[in-house]
Amino acid sequence: MSDLYEAQTIAIARQLWAASQESRNFFSQLREQMRIEDKLLGWAMEHPGLRVQLFRLIDCLPSLRSKTEVARHLQEYLSDPSVELPEALKKLLNFAQPDSLPAQAAATTFTTAVQALAHKYIAGETTEQVLKTIGRLRKQGMLVTMDILGEAVITEVEAQQYCDRYLDLMQHLSPLGQREGINPVQVSVKLTAFYSQFDPLDVSGCRAKVGEPIRRLLHRAQELGVAVHFDMEQYTYKDITLAILKEILLEPEFRDRADIGLTLQAYLRDSYQDAQDLITWAQQRGTPITVRVVKGAYWDQEVIKAVQQDWPLPVYQHKQDTDANFERITELLLSHHTVLRTAIASHNVRSQARAIAIAQHQRIPPTAMECQVLYGMADKLAKALVDAGQTVRVYCPYGDLIPGMAYLIRRLLENTANSSFLRQQLGAVNIDELLAPPQPTADFGAGNVHVTTGKTSTFANAANSDYARASQREAIQAALIHVHRQLGQTYTPIINGDRVHPLEYSESLNPSQPEEIVGRVGLATIEDAEHAIRAAKAAQAQWQQTPVAERATLLRRAANLLEAQRHELVAWMCYEVGKVVAEGDAEVSEAVDFCRYYADEMERLSGGYDRNFPGETNHYHYQGRGIAVVISPWNFPLAIPTGMTVAALVSGNCTILKPADPAAVTAAKLAEILIAAGFPPGVFQFLPGRGSVIGPYLTKHPDVHLIAFTGSQEVGCRIIAEAAVLQRGQTHIKRVIAEMGGKNAIIIDESADLDQAVAGVVQSAFGYSGQKCSACSRVIVLESIYQPFVQRLVEATQSLNIGPAHLPSTRVGPVVTAAARDRIQEYIAKGQQEAELALSVPVPSVGYFVSPTIFTNVPPTATIAQEEIFGPVLAVLRAETFSQAIEIANATAYALTGGLYSRTPSHIQQAKVQFAVGNLYINRGITGAIVDRQPFGGFKLSGIGSKAGGRDYLLQFLEPRVITENVQRQGFAPIVGVDD
Ligand code: NAD
C-alpha cells in the first residue's frame, strides 16, 4: 500500500478523533449513566454470556404479546447458567410468578429500555417521525439515505408491498430532493426484496422478475428528484446482484443517470476484483454511478454458512485484513473519480481519514466523494466530518420495530464486538495504535480458504454445489443438456458380472414430461434372482476374508466417482424422478458421504477390542452376516440405495440391490459406478425387477441373511413378517433393517420467528413436492399466532414456482408417477370433507403435477392428519397450549422427524424431552439430514433400524464374535507388566 497519504491520513484522523471525543456536559453524562439501555450495552460488553442471552432475548421480544410473556422470557433467558448477572439485573429478575406485579414492572422496564435502544438506531417508525429526523439532520448539514425496515420477503405480496412502500416514501421525500449534483435525499433498496423466489441458480428468471420493479422505481425516482442506491446483502446474492444491475444500468433509458449507486463490501475477499470490474464497466458506460464501500454486516452469517457447507470462506477472517482491503478499494475508486463516485461508509476514524487524505491529495472534486455513517452509530464522527467540510450522508433505517429487530441486533453486535472500532475507542487502546495503518495478516492474499472453526467431528462431508458461482451453474446446465441426449437407452440387470437380457422391460418416464422415456430397464425374473443368490453365495467366503482396508478403499473410490459425475447424476434424478437441481445436488453429497463415512466406520470397528487376562486372551470382533438384499425406494433414488448397499458391502456381505421401479435408471447409474469402483462379480449385483414379484422371492429366500429395506410401512411390515418365517433348509434368523414412513409435524409457538418459521415449513412441506419421508405434513400452530402464521404460509406457498424439474426457476416439480398423482388427489378430496381448503393453485397440464395444497382447521384425528400422503399436502392444526401441541404431534403411529419453531427456552427443553421423534429439528426445516451430523431414522411405525449415517448403523450388518483362548501352558504364561 502506498505511503503517499499516510502522514496526512494520521493528521486528519487525529483531528477527527479529537473533534469526536469532545466531552459531554455533566448532566448529559449523569443522565446517560442512569439509563438502563446504556447500562445493558455496558454489561453486554463486560459479560460475554450475558451478551449472547440478552441479544437473543431482544431478538424474540417483539413476538411476545403480553407483559407476562415478557417477564417469563426475561427470567428464562437471563437465569441461564451461562449468564453472569450484574446486581441491578438480578434485582429486576427477582419475582416469583411472571404474572405478579413485580414481574409486570420488570417487563415494562425492559421493554421500554429495548425500545429506547431501538430508537437510537432507527430513525422513526412513521413517515412523519422520519421526516422530522431528516429535517434535524439536514439542519446539521447532513444528507440522508432511507432504508425501509422489512420482514424477509418470502411472499410475492410482500415483494409488491416493498416496492409500493418505496414509491410512497419517495413521494414524501420529493420536496427535499434535487435533480442535479449531489442529491440530499436517497433511498436504499435491496434487490432480493423485489422477488420472493430470488435464487442465484435462476439468474435469468430473477433478472426478469426484479427488472420490472427496478425500472419502475428508477423512473419514479427521477421524476421525484430522489436518488436510488442498491444495498448489498449476503455473499450468495452478490454476483447476481452486480450482474443484474450492471445490465439494467446500461439500458439506454438509464445509461446517463448519475443518481444511482451500488455497494461493495470490503470484508469479501473478491471485492477488490469487483471494484476493478466496476471501473471497467463504468468506463464503458460513460456516466458515473456511486459506489458505496462498506465493511460488511453479515460476517458471522457468512462464516457460519461457509463452515456448514464447507465452501471457501468468502470473507476475511481477520479484521485488519478487511480494514486493509477497505483502504485499498478506497484508493482504487478515488483514483478513478472521473468514472465513479465513492461513498465511504465507515465508523472507523482512520478509514474516513484515509479517504479524505487521498481525496485532498488527488484534488478530487467534492461531488466525487461522500462520507457515510449509520444513524445513531457515530453521531459525533458525523458532526466532525461535516465540520471538516466533508459531504456526509446518514443511512436511516425506518419502520416498525418488529422487522427492525434484525437490524438492531446487527448494530448491537457491532457496537459490542471486541474488534469493532466503536468498541475499541471506548476502551484503553492507545490512540496511536487505533489510528495506525492496518497490518494485513499472512492470510490477506490467500484464496480458497476453508475453515473448520467450531466443528466437533473430524469427518468431512462432501460440499454441495454453490450455484452462486457461475462455473457451477454452467456445469449443471451442460449436464442437463448432455444427459437429455442420452434419454431412452436400455439398462439391464447385472448378475455375477454379466448383463442379462430379460424378456420384459419397464419404461421409466420423465414425470415433468411423461412423453419422454428416460430409459428402459430390464426386469429380472425369479430365475435371475436365484442366479444372483447363487453367485453371491459363491463369492461370500472370499469377500468376507477380504481385508477391511481393501473393502474401504473400494467405497472411497466409489465416492470419488460419484463426486466426479455429480452434475450428470443430478440431471438423471431430475429427469427420472422430477427432483429439482438443488435437491438432487444435496443427494449426491449424501451418497458420497455414505461411502466415505461407512468406510471410516468399518475401519474403526474392524479392530474390535481385547479384554485380556493373564493366561487368557479375549478378542471381540465382527464379521459380515452373509448375503444381503437391499430394497430401496424411488424418492432418494441415489443416496438411499448407495447408503444401504455400501454399508452392506463394507461390512463383508455380498449384496444384491433391488431398486424401486420408477428410479431404476438412476440406480443403474449407481450400479455402473460401484462396478467401476471395483466390487467383484457376485459381490455386488444389480437386480431391477417388479417389487411384488422378485421382492418376496428374495426376502423369503433361505440363503439370504439380511434385508435392508427403506420404503413404505406397509411393505416394510410385510417384509419383516416374511423374513421371520424359517424356510426349509434355513439355518439362521434373518436380520431386517426397515426404515419406513412418517407423518411429521412442526410446532409453531408464539415466540417463533415467523420469517424463519414460514420459510422452514414451506421448504419442509413442499420441497420435492412433499415426497420425502422426513417432509412436514402437519403444522401445529398455537392459537395466539394461528391467524398471522397461516396467512403468511398461504401467501408464501402461493409464491412458489411450479414447473418442470429441470428449470432453474422451479421450486416445486411434479410427483413421481401418474399413480402417485391420483392417490394424492384422493387424499385431497378426502381433506375437503374433513377440513377447510386454504390453498390450491393451478398447475401445468402436462406432467404429473399436484398443487401444493394447504388445509386449515384440521382435526387431529382426520385421515389427512394421520396417514402418510407422500405428496404436497399440508394439514394445519390448532393448539391451545404448548403441551397440547406436543400431544397432538405425538398422536400418530409414526415417529420419524419433527420440528419446533420457538424462542422460548422452556418450550425448547420440553420438546427435547417429550416430542417423540427420531430426528427433532429446532428452529430450522425438518428435511435434509446430513451424514454424521444428523444420523437419520425413526421409531414407532417409522422403522426398526439404527440411524443411517450414524455410529450404530454398520453394527446391524455385522455379527459380533468373541474368541477366548487359554494361553496358559503347564501353569506358565507371560504376565504383561510383571518382570521375570
Ligand atoms: P414402497 O414401499 O412402495 O417401495 C419400496 C421398495 O420396496 C421398492 O423397491 C419396491 O419395489 C419394493 N417392494 C414393493 N413391494 C415389495 C414386496 N412385496 N417385497 C419386497 N419388496 C417390495 O415405497 P416407495 O414408494 O418406493 O417409497 C416411499 C416410502 O418410503 C414412503 O413411505 C417413505 O416414507 C418411505 N421412506 C422412508 C425413509 C426412511 O428413511 N425412513 C426414506 C425414504 C423413504
Side-chain angles (χ1 to χ4, degrees):
M1 196 172 297
S2 143
D3 266 340
L4 206 54
Y5 318 108
E6 190 50 30
Q8 211 167 337
T9 299
I10 295 291
I12 296 168
R14 281 183 171 278
Q15 279 166 14
L16 288 174
W17 171 260
S20 55
Q21 295 296 302
E22 109 234 346
S23 65
R24 288 159 290 180
N25 72 41
F26 174 72
F27 288 108
S28 73
Q29 270 184 30
L30 190 67
R31 225 179 32 237
E32 280 196 12
Q33 273 167 20
M34 289 168 60
R35 283 209 219 113
I36 181 155
E37 65 266 24
D38 294 306
K39 284 189 185 159
L40 282 178
L41 280 197
W43 292 328
M45 285 188 216
E46 282 161 31
H47 306 291
L50 174 63
R51 180 174 181 255
V52 172
Q53 287 300 92
L54 190 63
F55 291 176
R56 285 184 175 163
L57 175 59
I58 292 175
D59 169 52
C60 98
L61 192 64
S63 69
L64 305 176
R65 277 142 215 257
S66 67
K67 282 187 185 173
T68 306
E69 281 303 301
V70 173
R72 191 148 73 91
H73 283 76
L74 248 177
Q75 233 171 14
E76 284 195 16
Y77 272 89
L78 301 185
S79 337
D80 190 273
S82 64
V83 173
E84 320 82 344
L85 272 189
E87 270 314 305
L89 268 184
K90 259 191 210 153
K91 272 190 214 147
L92 198 68
L93 296 179
N94 193 12
F95 51 82
Q97 293 299 329
D99 54 358
S100 63
L101 274 181
Q104 307 278 304
T108 310
T109 309
F110 186 71
T111 308
T112 316
V114 173
Q115 276 166 354
L117 210 49
H119 282 130
K120 282 190 171 188
Y121 305 110
I122 295 174
E125 283 183 77
T126 61
T127 316
E128 290 70 44
Q129 284 174 4
V130 94
L131 288 173
K132 242 191 220 164
T133 306
I134 297 176
R136 187 163 49 77
L137 293 169
R138 292 288 302 276
K139 270 198 200 121
Q140 295 171 33
M142 297 177 199
L143 321 178
V144 292
T145 185
M146 308 302 302
D147 162 48
I148 303 180
L149 293 168
E151 287 152 312
V153 169
I154 50 177
T155 77
E156 280 305 273
V157 177
E158 288 161 357
Q160 179 66 45
Q161 283 167 351
Y162 181 82
C163 188
D164 292 346
R165 287 174 72 199
Y166 268 101
L167 291 169
D168 180 61
L169 172 66
M170 291 197 304
Q171 188 91 32
H172 285 96
L173 295 177
S174 179
L176 309 166
Q178 173 182 310
R179 275 154 189 81
E180 297 302 324
I182 294 185
N183 206 318
V185 284
Q186 183 187 75
V187 289
S188 281
V189 297
K190 294 174 178 57
L191 229 57
T192 60
F194 290 120
Y195 179 35
S196 64
Q197 309 301 305
F198 203 88
D199 179 352
L201 177 64
D202 183 23
V203 177
S204 61
C206 290
R207 187 190 296 130
K209 284 285 186 179
V210 302
E212 192 271 326
I214 290 177
R215 290 187 189 94
R216 191 143 49 98
L217 201 81
L218 290 179
H219 282 305
R220 190 73 185 123
Q222 191 175 33
E223 286 162 19
L224 295 168
V226 176
V228 177
H229 194 93
F230 292 93
D231 278 343
M232 196 58 86
E233 304 166 78
Q234 286 85 349
Y235 180 67
T236 188
Y237 303 127
K238 190 229 354 158
D239 283 351
I240 176 170
T241 298
L242 288 175
I244 291 176
L245 290 176
K246 280 178 178 175
E247 205 175 295
I248 292 181
L249 297 183
L250 282 182
E251 290 172 7
E253 52 193 327
F254 304 119
R255 196 176 177 131
D256 58 355
R257 293 272 295 270
D259 59 343
I260 302 172
L262 49 80
T263 308
L264 290 181
Q265 296 154 316
Y267 67 3
L268 295 182
R269 288 170 189 267
D270 47 15
S271 52
Y272 188 76
Q273 180 63 50
D274 289 332
Q276 286 176 320
D277 295 347
L278 265 178
I279 289 166
T280 313
W281 169 85
Q283 277 161 341
Q284 176 200 350
R285 181 174 185 259
T287 313
I289 60 158
T290 300
V291 178
R292 176 197 296 157
V293 202
V294 302
K295 289 194 182 155
Y298 305 91
W299 189 87
D300 295 54
Q301 219 176 319
E302 299 292 6
V303 174
I304 289 168
K305 185 166 186 184
V307 177
Q308 285 197 355
Q309 300 276 357
D310 195 19
W311 285 346
L313 193 64
V315 292
Y316 289 111
Q317 252 173 303
H318 307 287
K319 186 74 168 61
Q320 59 267 46
D321 289 341
T322 297
D323 287 344
N325 193 40
F326 191 94
E327 295 197 2
R328 187 159 79 125
I329 295 175
T330 300
E331 188 174 343
L332 177 72
L333 293 176
L334 289 176
S335 8
H336 291 86
H337 61 86
T338 51
V339 289
L340 284 172
R341 296 171 179 172
T342 308
I344 305 295
S346 172
H347 305 135
N348 183 320
V349 168
R350 181 184 157 94
S351 302
Q352 291 288 3
R354 180 87 186 166
I356 297 168
I358 299 170
Q360 286 178 354
H361 205 269
Q362 299 199 7
R363 298 184 195 290
I364 288 171
T367 49
M369 186 187 104
E370 63 184 45
C371 306
Q372 293 193 359
V373 294
L374 295 181
Y375 180 80
M377 289 286 282
D379 299 350
K380 297 201 185 72
L381 172 62
K383 183 169 180 307
L385 285 164
V386 171
D387 293 345
Q390 296 302 314
T391 304
V392 174
R393 190 181 298 277
V394 182
Y395 186 99
C396 297
Y398 104 99
D400 292 342
L401 283 187
I402 295 183
M405 272 308 142
Y407 178 85
L408 175 64
I409 301 284
R410 284 204 296 277
R411 299 291 74 78
L412 295 180
L413 284 170
E414 183 177 345
N415 258 329
T416 57
N418 281 331
S419 59
S420 128
F421 186 89
L422 292 169
R423 166 86 200 261
Q424 286 178 347
Q425 68 177 354
L426 295 174
V429 181
N430 162 314
I431 163 110
D432 293 330
E433 258 176 59
L434 205 58
L435 302 182
Q439 295 302 325
T441 67
D443 186 40
F444 187 56
N448 208 17
V449 175
H450 285 254
V451 282
T452 52
T453 321
K455 271 180 63 173
T456 53
S457 163
T458 50
F459 179 74
N461 295 98
N464 292 339
S465 299
D466 178 2
Y467 295 120
R469 292 176 192 270
S471 59
Q472 307 211 350
R473 282 199 301 275
E474 284 155 16
I476 184 62
Q477 285 312 322
L480 283 165
I481 294 169
H482 175 68
V483 166
H484 196 259
R485 291 198 194 108
Q486 299 173 50
L487 299 190
Q489 293 178 359
T490 300
Y491 303 87
T492 60
I494 304 171
I495 298 172
N496 204 16
D498 296 327
R499 291 185 179 278
V500 298
H501 297 278
L503 293 175
E504 211 189 335
Y505 285 78
S506 90
E507 287 181 344
S508 187
L509 307 179
N510 176 355
S512 305
Q513 280 153 355
E515 76 281 4
E516 260 175 16
I517 298 170
V518 177
R520 289 185 181 76
V521 186
L523 296 172
T525 57
I526 287 183
E527 291 71 47
D528 295 329
E530 182 55 34
H531 285 153
I533 289 180
R534 261 188 259 137
K537 224 172 151 181
Q540 179 56 29
Q542 196 180 345
W543 182 241
Q544 195 155 322
Q545 305 303 317
T546 305
V548 165
E550 268 177 49
R551 303 200 302 245
T553 301
L554 300 189
L555 263 70
R556 296 195 177 103
R557 223 183 267 160
N560 296 344
L561 291 171
L562 285 163
E563 243 183 350
Q565 295 175 36
R566 170 182 288 277
H567 299 296
E568 284 76 19
L569 290 166
V570 173
W572 281 112
M573 288 189 271
C574 186
Y575 292 127
E576 188 174 35
V577 297
K579 194 160 271 207
V580 298
V581 162
E583 304 228 22
D585 187 74
E587 184 164 344
V588 178
S589 301
E590 192 182 2
V592 171
D593 285 350
F594 277 135
C595 295
R596 296 192 178 134
Y597 182 77
Y598 293 145
D600 290 1
E601 279 294 289
M602 194 58 227
E603 284 176 342
R604 175 178 71 83
L605 292 170
S606 64
Y609 62 83
D610 294 320
R611 288 292 179 271
N612 297 340
F613 277 70
E616 174 185 292
T617 60
N618 294 296
H619 182 60
Y620 186 107
H621 65 286
Y622 299 98
Q623 70 180 30
R625 286 181 172 269
I627 297 178
V629 169
V630 168
I631 300 178
S632 57
W634 51 264
N635 70 327
F636 282 90
L638 185 69
I640 291 183
T642 304
M644 293 193 292
T645 305
V646 301
L649 286 168
V650 81
S651 314
N653 303 289
C654 285
T655 306
I656 298 168
L657 166 61
K658 195 221 77 65
D661 206 22
V665 173
T666 308
K669 297 287 155 193
L670 168 63
E672 285 166 13
I673 286 173
L674 293 178
I675 288 166
F679 290 100
V683 170
F684 166 72
Q685 301 179 87
F686 178 56
L687 208 67
R690 292 206 195 289
S692 53
V693 179
I694 59 165
Y697 185 80
L698 291 169
T699 54
K700 288 180 188 167
H701 200 288
D703 289 336
V704 168
H705 296 86
L706 176 140
I707 300 148
F709 167 84
T710 305
S712 63
Q713 180 253 316
E714 188 197 339
V715 174
C717 288
R718 190 181 314 153
I719 292 176
I720 293 166
E722 287 169 357
V725 178
L726 271 190
Q727 304 293 333
R728 188 201 288 259
Q730 183 180 329
T731 54
H732 58 271
I733 310 286
K734 287 178 194 160
R735 179 68 178 248
V736 182
I737 300 155
E739 306 287 348
M740 303 184 289
K743 187 68 192 171
N744 314 302
I746 297 183
I747 298 176
I748 317 287
D749 80 4
E750 170 178 303
S751 67
D753 176 332
L754 279 199
D755 284 357
Q756 260 188 23
V758 172
V761 169
V762 168
Q763 176 57 28
S764 305
F766 303 115
Y768 193 38
S769 295
Q771 304 172 106
K772 297 182 189 177
C773 50
S774 53
C776 168
S777 63
R778 297 179 293 153
V779 55
I780 303 163
V781 189
L782 270 283
E783 195 61 58
S784 51
I785 42 130
Y786 187 87
Q787 216 40 52
F789 175 80
V790 169
Q791 189 188 336
R792 276 191 96 191
L793 174 71
V794 168
E795 285 172 1
T797 309
Q798 209 159 16
S799 307
L800 299 174
N801 296 324
I802 302 166
H806 64 275
L807 295 184
S809 57
T810 297
R811 284 286 298 281
V812 181
V815 299
V816 71
T817 56
R821 178 194 56 199
D822 299 345
R823 195 180 36 75
I824 298 165
Q825 294 296 7
E826 279 170 27
Y827 273 109
I828 292 175
K830 179 87 183 150
Q832 278 168 312
Q833 295 159 12
E834 294 182 322
E836 290 164 28
L837 178 67
L839 181 75
S840 174
V841 296
V843 294
S845 53
V846 175
Y848 307 135
F849 286 91
V850 176
S851 162
T853 305
I854 299 177
F855 286 105
T856 48
N857 291 322
V858 180
T861 51
T863 310
I864 58 162
Q866 287 293 324
E867 292 183 12
E868 187 184 45
I869 301 175
F870 225 58
V873 182
L874 178 63
V876 188
L877 295 85
R878 286 176 189 267
E880 295 288 338
T881 63
F882 188 71
S883 293
Q884 194 194 7
I886 299 240
E887 265 171 44
I888 296 173
N890 287 343
T892 73
Y894 295 102
L896 192 51
T897 65
L900 166 65
Y901 281 91
S902 170
R903 287 176 287 189
T904 302
S906 57
H907 287 176
I908 293 177
Q909 190 48 37
Q910 190 178 346
K912 284 180 183 172
V913 178
Q914 294 177 1
F915 202 154
V917 289
N919 286 67
L920 176 63
Y921 296 93
I922 298 165
N923 290 322
R924 51 153 282 176
I926 64 170
T927 59
I930 297 175
V931 171
D932 182 46
R933 271 155 75 173
Q934 293 106 20
F936 184 78
F939 51 96
K940 287 167 73 178
L941 288 191
S942 293
I944 48 160
S946 272
K947 291 180 171 296
R951 293 174 73 94
D952 302 330
Y953 191 70
L954 288 191
L955 296 179
Q956 309 171 105
F957 295 80
L958 295 163
E959 305 272 19
R961 297 183 64 204
V962 175
I963 296 181
T964 300
E965 185 178 353
N966 173 9
V967 290
Q968 209 178 170
R969 299 279 188 279
Q970 308 299 342
F972 154 78
I975 303 178
V976 178
V978 176
D979 292 338
D980 292 336

